[in-house]
Amino acid sequence: MTARVTEPTTTTTTTTTSTPTLDALADVERRVLWLATAIVDHANRVRPNPGGLKVGGHQASSASIVSIMTALWFGALRAEDRVSVKPHASPVLHAINHLLGRLDPRFLTTLREQGGLQSYPSRSKDPDPVDYSTGSVGIGATAPIWGAIARRYADGVSGRAGTGRQFSLVGDAELDEGAVWEAVLDPMVRELGEITWIVDFNRQSLDRVVPDISATRLQGLFEAAGWQVVTVKYGRILTELFAREGGDALRRRIDTMTNPEYQRLLRCTPTQLRERLPQGLPDDGPRLAALLETIDDDGVHAAIRNLGGHDLGALLDAYARIDDTRPTVIFAYTVKGYGLATQGHPQNHSSLLSEPQMRELAARVGADLDEPWAPLPRGGAAADLCATVATRLDRPAVGTAPAVSVPTDLGRPPSGTGNTQQALGRALLDLTRSAPEAARRVVTCSPDVASSTNLGGWLNKVGSWAASERRDWFDDDAETILHWRERPTGQHIELGIAETNLVGLLGELGATWSRWGEPLLPIGVLYDPFVSRALEPWSFGMYAGGQSILVGTPSGVSLAPEGGAHQSITTPSIGLEQPGCVAFEPAFAIEVTWCLLDGLGRLGRPDGSSSYLRLSTAPVDQSLAAVPEDPAAREERRRQVVAGGYVLRRAPGAPRVTIAAMGATVPNALAAADRLGALGVPADVVVVTSADRLFRAVRARRADTGDPTWILDACFPVDRAAPLVTVLDGHPHTLAFLAGVHGVRAEHLGVSGFGQSSDLASAHALHDIDADAIVRCAARL
């Protein structure tokens, strides 16, 4: 006679919170599974869809993580904790928020609808609470690492940022992303004990069952990085079977089979399972077959899919083992599509349940497809649990902190010869003297390039941030110029050489104003050619509400000796095109200060934005800036600089050509204007400090976007309209739109090919951005 194998009931386990009974937790789990599946079903099968385009959603990916999230939210999570949810599990997050009273039922029918639930969790766009925006694979997973550093830093500033664990719910295929390992391996991460990753280890990706994914190999990588590794592989059913006669054979058989074979077994009938399982153990097959004969068909069917990631008790036990002295990763083995008709199918990633399958699911979990959003029975254990957890997880509203007061000018007069990269460090030091309260909230970051981007003086003054104070063994070395005084009060964070880590940290430092009510003024510095490498996570950080300043330096072919590999070309247009950001490329040191202060003044506020400064190592005579000495005239110059540009040279009478130059090419434009004047061709010279803001002004003139347009009249007055030459140390199309301000004939100079090592003059000549090229273009026009 065969015995029925069932899940244990009413067992309790010890966690950090008051632990519910597994019966009540299982009831909630079933309702979460139903709601998450029904949210996707309604969006695709029920809601009118005149366009006919598939709405999409991820029922199988959501089902995979339902148990993990139910056990976490309803059994272990605390109000001070924060969670990053894997992108394809957004319906599960919305289902949980609904059960906790945080999401009105009217939104359950709005998945991927304008103004409704977003495709992936979004802090800025979803109507319910979302701790971390996810959606770009790898970035959401690592965000809590940078969030942990940002919280610690913000707490050091004010002591009001609180505590709490930082959870990442990660799909196993997400571990293919290089950004994950760049973050895990950064040296300071191993000190962050509040970080916990839970890997939904279902061994499937979007297209297939992953044949060679190995938990052992992945666990070894985390252990080598100093993480605690916890594995939740088997549930109670299999654990009990392993203890029986022949159980060791069953465990060995499952442990040694490939991922594709295991996934195929999930689709087998009990009869097929009895045949196939013993076949893989030639020497011990009879013992395994005998064990299976002691179990009824339902038990065999349940056992093969009884993985730890679907066992609520095992998950609660794992959460109780989290070590708060070092990062923890929990590998929870799961079945993709668990509990659905599509479970375990290799192509279930975007598959949708049919109406009959939805009705079968409803009957099994105690729901009703005709009333999918009906609440849990009032007074029942599940409803009581939801109410209790809602109270436990209630967070006080984050107050709106007053914006940091940042001056608009620091009073330094232009002098000598220097470059815009050098001006950055000087401006930061000037800020500490002129506005110490604002300077205290500045935090700079770099991927091992602080000294080569001229932050040495700032770093020596403010020190480097570390979770705990470390001794500087070179403090008494007279030949050491750059001092790494690492302490919790330091204001510079030095990361390893990984640009994605830099912008990930910037995004979280730039979100502290909305997450904890503590505004910071983060500035990240990296070599400009590598902005492209960091672009996607940088953009995603802004999408998620992070406000920061990114400084790309040195830039362009003006970094002549370094050659083509280190000479940026497309970054000026990247800054022009990037939402949520204002891009600047100043030509003179004073402009760096003004643009930097403008950017700092827009950080940490609901209506704020990020900034991108593109700086150069090209030496420039600062007297060429001709900054007015009169305070009112100086202020007007500053106002035009931060608005996008100004007229630096106005030709006597009417100009026959206008030269619009940006950044390192401005001295070339001035030299060309002098030569053209000698030839009887008077030329105006316009310095473009922000192609971004000028383009916004052009659009606003045509479509009333709300951006100011006065700067166009200041830079390009209609009574001085003339043929136009634009020039910059970047791709020429960046400034090509300026010809449309008055519809004039134009030539556009810039860099459109890879550079090579040379001196500065040769580099500018090679790419036709020197004075000779400007004069030739003006003559043609």
Side-chain angles (χ1 to χ4, degrees):
M1 180 177 178
T2 57
R4 177 175 293 276
V5 180
T6 60
E7 287 275 13
T9 59
T10 65
T11 304
T12 59
T13 186
T14 302
T15 67
T16 55
T17 64
S18 178
T19 306
T21 66
L22 292 186
D23 279 346
L25 205 56
D27 286 344
V28 173
E29 175 191 31
R30 285 187 284 270
R31 185 52 59 100
V32 171
L33 174 63
W34 168 254
L35 288 172
T37 309
I39 286 171
V40 180
D41 175 70
H42 188 281
N44 288 274
R45 191 181 58 80
V46 181
R47 192 169 72 212
N49 185 5
L53 187 68
K54 179 182 176 181
V55 176
H58 301 87
Q59 291 174 330
S61 293
S62 292
S64 177
I65 203 169
V66 162
S67 305
I68 291 171
M69 292 179 66
T70 301
L72 181 61
W73 257 264
F74 293 88
L77 204 64
R78 303 164 300 182
E80 62 268 28
D81 298 334
R82 299 292 186 273
V83 187
S84 172
V85 177
K86 73 171 189 175
H88 294 156
S90 64
V92 184
L93 177 61
H94 298 313
I96 290 175
N97 278 338
H98 171 64
L99 290 176
L100 296 178
R102 297 171 170 177
L103 180 66
D104 191 281
R106 65 189 173 91
F107 286 108
L108 299 177
T109 62
T110 67
L111 180 69
R112 301 189 171 196
E113 185 177 67
Q114 187 173 10
L117 301 177
Q118 299 301 297
S119 304
Y120 311 113
S122 171
R123 286 190 73 225
S124 58
K125 295 181 180 295
D126 269 315
D128 54 334
V130 174
D131 291 335
Y132 287 97
S133 295
T134 60
S136 192
V137 176
I139 296 175
T142 58
I145 289 179
W146 315 123
I149 295 175
R151 186 207 61 76
R152 289 193 183 204
Y153 189 97
D155 194 60
V157 171
S158 67
R160 295 191 298 268
T163 58
R165 289 174 178 161
Q166 301 281 335
F167 288 92
S168 290
L169 306 183
V170 184
D172 53 2
E174 200 164 5
L175 298 181
D176 290 343
E177 280 289 341
V180 166
W181 299 106
E182 288 182 351
V184 167
L185 294 174
D186 194 275
M188 72 169 56
V189 172
R190 63 176 177 264
E191 299 180 61
L192 305 175
E194 61 266 48
I195 295 172
T196 298
W197 283 20
I198 306 171
V199 181
D200 174 12
F201 202 70
N202 61 42
R203 292 162 286 180
Q204 281 187 242
S205 62
L206 189 151
D207 288 331
R208 60 173 182 160
V209 177
V210 183
D212 297 318
I213 190 169
S214 168
T216 302
R217 175 171 53 85
L218 294 171
Q219 290 162 354
L221 291 171
F222 278 101
E223 287 175 342
W227 291 49
Q228 177 197 25
V229 177
V230 177
T231 302
V232 190
K233 187 170 186 179
Y234 297 117
R236 297 291 196 268
I237 294 175
L238 281 175
T239 301
E240 291 174 359
L241 289 175
F242 293 157
R244 297 186 190 180
E245 171 59 31
D248 59 322
L250 175 61
R251 180 163 195 156
R252 188 165 67 255
R253 176 73 171 98
I254 297 176
D255 282 345
T256 57
M257 70 176 59
T258 64
N259 294 332
E261 182 184 7
Y262 174 78
Q263 294 292 125
R264 181 63 187 91
L265 293 179
L266 296 174
R267 310 289 297 173
C268 288
T269 65
T271 299
Q272 291 171 324
L273 289 172
R274 295 182 193 279
E275 294 173 355
R276 295 191 181 201
L277 281 169
Q279 289 175 1
L281 288 177
D283 299 331
D284 229 355
R287 291 180 64 234
L288 176 51
L291 172 64
L292 295 176
E293 285 302 318
T294 68
I295 312 169
D296 64 12
D297 284 353
D298 289 343
V300 172
H301 200 262
I304 195 62
R305 53 185 41 75
N306 181 234
L307 298 180
H310 301 299
D311 187 294
L312 297 169
L315 288 166
L316 292 175
D317 289 342
Y319 299 157
R321 294 172 57 192
I322 293 172
D323 180 359
D324 286 325
T325 67
R326 56 178 173 154
T328 295
V329 59
I330 299 172
F331 282 86
Y333 281 70
T334 60
V335 174
K336 192 166 184 174
Y338 185 78
L340 305 182
T342 56
Q343 63 182 330
H345 194 282
Q347 278 88 50
N348 65 7
H349 183 80
S350 297
S351 64
L352 300 169
L353 297 189
S354 65
E355 181 177 349
Q357 290 172 331
M358 286 295 297
R359 292 196 181 279
E360 185 278 329
L361 175 64
R364 183 154 44 83
V365 300
D368 185 347
L369 184 58
D370 297 322
E371 294 186 54
W373 323 120
L376 289 164
R378 183 173 297 180
D384 289 346
L385 175 59
C386 291
T388 300
V389 172
T391 300
R392 186 184 81 222
L393 297 182
D394 184 53
R395 297 174 185 163
V398 176
T400 302
V404 180
S405 178
V406 178
T408 58
D409 197 349
L410 300 179
R412 178 185 286 272
S415 62
T417 297
N419 58 58
T420 54
Q421 178 179 283
Q422 293 169 339
L424 174 68
R426 286 200 300 269
L428 289 173
L429 289 173
D430 287 345
L431 187 66
T432 63
R433 292 184 283 267
S434 300
E437 289 301 314
R440 179 65 189 95
R441 291 188 177 267
V442 170
V443 51
T444 58
C445 316
S446 75
D448 197 35
V449 293
S451 57
S452 54
T453 54
N454 284 91
L455 287 184
W458 162 262
L459 180 58
N460 284 340
K461 182 174 181 62
V462 302
S464 179
W465 182 88
S468 56
E469 188 156 356
R470 298 171 182 166
R471 180 173 178 179
D472 179 7
W473 289 97
F474 289 86
D475 194 41
D476 58 350
D477 187 334
E479 295 182 5
T480 299
I481 299 174
L482 190 65
H483 291 283
W484 292 95
R485 299 184 177 92
E486 297 179 277
R487 52 185 182 264
T489 57
Q491 290 183 245
H492 175 80
I493 301 178
E494 187 81 354
L495 299 173
I497 307 173
E499 285 77 15
T500 56
N501 287 352
L502 170 76
V503 294
L505 177 58
L506 275 184
E508 292 307 318
L509 288 168
T512 57
W513 67 274
S514 60
R515 202 185 294 284
W516 292 292
E518 287 299 333
L520 298 176
L521 307 178
I523 302 171
V525 179
L526 77 168
Y527 292 169
D528 195 63
F530 306 138
V531 166
S532 299
R533 183 185 299 178
L535 178 59
E536 196 242 347
W538 175 46
S539 177
F540 195 82
M542 285 183 274
Y543 166 81
Q547 300 170 3
S548 61
I549 295 176
L550 185 68
V551 180
T553 185
S555 67
V557 297
S558 295
L559 186 63
E562 290 284 344
H566 277 62
Q567 295 173 351
S568 57
I569 297 172
T570 63
T571 47
S573 61
I574 286 175
L576 181 76
E577 298 155 7
Q578 177 60 48
C581 175
V582 177
F584 294 103
E585 185 164 348
F588 299 104
I590 189 65
E591 296 170 7
V592 174
T593 299
W594 290 337
C595 294
L596 178 67
L597 295 176
D598 177 79
L600 291 174
R602 284 181 285 105
L603 299 180
R605 49 198 303 165
D607 60 344
S609 70
S610 296
S611 297
Y612 163 49
L613 272 67
R614 188 175 189 255
L615 306 184
S616 173
T617 51
V620 175
D621 178 1
Q622 298 301 305
S623 67
L624 295 176
V627 178
E629 294 185 3
D630 180 81
R634 176 185 170 109
E635 169 57 20
E636 179 58 23
R637 168 69 68 84
R638 184 204 67 79
R639 194 171 75 99
Q640 292 184 15
V641 164
V642 299
Y646 60 97
V647 178
L648 178 57
R649 181 79 59 83
R650 189 179 296 271
R656 293 181 59 187
V657 67
T658 298
I659 305 170
M662 191 161 76
T665 63
V666 168
N668 299 345
L670 291 171
D674 289 339
R675 291 167 56 180
L676 288 168
L679 294 172
V681 182
D684 284 354
V685 176
V686 176
V687 176
V688 176
T689 52
S690 176
D692 184 1
R693 281 192 158 155
L694 291 183
F695 184 73
R696 295 184 196 200
V698 169
R699 288 188 63 201
R701 177 175 283 181
R702 296 172 181 170
D704 191 20
T705 61
D707 291 294
T709 62
W710 63 267
I711 188 61
L712 295 178
D713 295 326
C715 292
F716 305 99
V718 66
D719 61 340
R720 299 185 71 81
L724 178 69
V725 178
T726 66
V727 58
L728 75 154
D729 187 356
H731 199 280
H733 83 83
T734 307
L735 297 180
F737 72 92
L738 291 175
V741 174
H742 294 303
V744 298
R745 291 179 293 117
E747 293 272 357
H748 306 292
L749 301 177
V751 181
S752 55
F754 292 112
Q756 54 183 284
S757 296
S758 68
D759 59 78
L760 181 60
S762 298
H764 283 192
L766 173 66
H767 295 280
D768 285 336
I769 58 174
D770 61 351
D772 286 349
I774 298 171
V775 170
R776 286 195 299 268
C777 279
R780 285 198 298 269
L781 290 171

